Amino acid sequence: MEKIKLAIQKKGRLSEKSLELIDECDISFPNSAGRLMTAAYDFPIEILFLRDDDIPGYVEDGVADIGIVGENVLVESAKEVDLVTKLGFGRCRLSIAIPRGVAYQGIADLNGKAIATSYPRLLRKYLTENQVHAEIHEISGSVEIAPSIGLAEGICDIVSTGSTLLSNGLKEVEQIFSSEAVLIRNKNLSAAKQEILDKFMFRMTSVRKAKKNKYILLNAPNEKLEEIISLLPGLSSPTVQSLAREGWSSVHSVIQDQDFWEKIEQIKSAGAEGILIMPIEKLIY
Ligand code: PRP
Ligand code: ZN
């Protein structure tokens, strides 16, 4: 039977969340420690564990059919692949940083300086757009130590929590790109593989929708029902059942994460009691 090959980062910022996403789709595979590839038990998918920088190229070539990678890596690679969807995790920014003790007035201060980076393409574009003439030193790792060893006066690298900059005595002076994890796809996927991708996406979407919503149960006096229901748009009309307690009903609905606390306060002051909120595992509509 046809299988789809998914490339994810072997080790790094996106690895854990990528595995979590697969797990939430109820796709399970044998313990993969130290392995390059593994096949799922219960879904036609094989998972390839690669260096993130290699993923766009492998997806372009069709070695992998789909991949999860940072938008920063994707754009820098300039590979010809389709961006299927943003995944909402692994948010970070690509920034220029300089030693903390060096004064900085503005971007023009970078003229004539050397900047070390693993993102020469994105950096060059930014410098050109801002009419800055700086030298770009392309290095493939441990960029943050470049200023302290005298290799460059500044760096351009990924900042997520900022702790790497902090521990290397650097300060962020320009943000040049913001990024999150994305799902990419080979441009010539076969119909059979596309069908598997659609199934994978269906599961992924229902998990993500579920995370944005909560299940709400509450008790309300009948004379307040109308007002309370108007505060609960839900997915469709809420379920209302009468309680053994005379003049009271129980209301079941779905409430969005957005404005959640504000809504709950309004519902409570409208007279609801015994409000119960529960996570939703999957949501399909
Ligand atoms: C980036 C970057 C820093 C770190 C910054 O590496 O190179 O080392 O993340 O994160 P922080 O602000 O939370 O300290 P990345 O995870 O992109 O992996 P890479 O080794 O593939 O560049
Ligand atoms: Zn990398």
Side-chain angles (χ1 to χ4, degrees):
M1 190 190 158
E2 185 89 80
K3 285 185 180 168
I4 197 168
K5 289 198 186 83
L6 163 68
I8 64 170
Q9 189 183 28
K10 189 176 173 62
K11 195 172 146 285
R13 268 181 324 108
L14 303 184
S15 322
E16 202 177 307
K17 289 275 186 180
S18 304
L19 289 171
E20 209 176 286
L21 180 81
I22 297 167
D23 181 61
E24 284 167 347
C25 293
D26 296 321
I27 298 172
S28 49
F29 51 86
N31 188 332
S32 56
R35 292 174 60 185
L36 208 67
M37 184 154 111
T38 188
Y41 297 121
D42 41 15
F43 195 79
I45 197 166
E46 281 171 335
I47 300 153
L48 273 63
F49 302 92
L50 302 170
R51 280 194 53 216
D52 63 345
D53 313 65
D54 295 334
I55 293 176
Y58 279 134
V59 172
E60 181 185 49
D61 297 345
V63 173
D65 301 302
I66 55 176
I68 295 175
V69 75
E71 231 177 325
N72 53 309
V73 171
L74 172 65
V75 175
E76 180 63 32
S77 76
K79 299 292 182 192
E80 289 289 322
V81 297
D82 292 333
L83 196 162
V84 183
T85 182
K86 297 195 180 199
L87 294 170
F89 64 84
R91 290 215 169 82
C92 64
R93 51 196 189 269
L94 183 63
S95 294
I96 299 175
I98 62 169
R100 217 175 299 145
V102 175
Y104 188 82
Q105 253 78 60
I107 190 154
D109 290 1
L110 298 171
N111 272 307
K113 300 284 188 329
I115 304 173
T117 189
S118 322
Y119 297 88
R121 200 184 299 262
L122 281 164
L123 177 58
R124 178 158 301 118
K125 181 165 176 280
Y126 184 80
L127 294 177
T128 307
E129 280 167 6
N130 288 280
Q131 288 146 26
V132 173
H133 299 278
E135 193 187 321
I136 298 175
H137 267 295
E138 183 176 353
I139 50 179
S140 59
S142 306
V143 171
E144 57 279 356
I145 63 163
S148 61
I149 60 172
L151 186 68
E153 284 128 318
I155 66 160
C156 172
D157 200 11
I158 293 300
V159 183
S160 162
T161 61
S163 73
T164 305
L165 291 188
L166 195 66
S167 58
N168 285 282
L170 300 168
K171 63 176 176 190
E172 199 175 350
V173 292
E174 301 286 338
Q175 278 186 31
I176 79 169
F177 188 79
S178 70
S179 172
E180 67 181 88
V182 294
L183 182 71
I184 56 171
R185 165 182 66 184
N186 176 274
K187 283 202 168 292
N188 305 301
L189 222 56
S190 70
K193 284 181 174 178
Q194 182 59 48
E195 205 174 302
I196 302 170
L197 175 57
D198 290 342
K199 283 192 177 152
F200 181 52
M201 293 281 298
F202 179 70
R203 293 191 187 195
M204 250 173 47
T205 313
S206 66
V207 171
R208 289 177 65 200
K209 277 187 202 147
K211 281 189 182 170
K212 288 195 189 131
N213 291 273
K214 302 229 180 312
Y215 191 73
I216 179 168
L217 271 158
L218 58 87
N219 295 335
N222 289 344
E223 68 272 17
K224 296 286 183 169
L225 265 180
E226 206 177 323
E227 183 183 351
I228 290 171
I229 288 170
S230 72
L231 294 166
L232 285 170
L235 297 177
S236 48
S237 155
T239 308
V240 179
Q241 284 165 328
S242 45
L243 290 178
R245 182 179 171 190
E246 185 79 27
W248 282 70
S249 298
S250 142
V251 179
H252 301 216
S253 188
V254 167
I255 183 168
Q256 286 193 345
D257 243 0
Q258 211 184 344
D259 320 318
F260 174 79
W261 286 108
E262 224 165 277
K263 280 268 161 59
I264 296 295
E265 279 163 27
Q266 291 171 356
I267 289 165
K268 190 166 178 298
S269 41
E273 287 181 11
I275 304 171
L276 196 63
I277 311 293
M278 289 180 287
I280 299 173
E281 196 181 281
K282 309 274 188 310
L283 184 60
I284 293 137
Y285 57 82

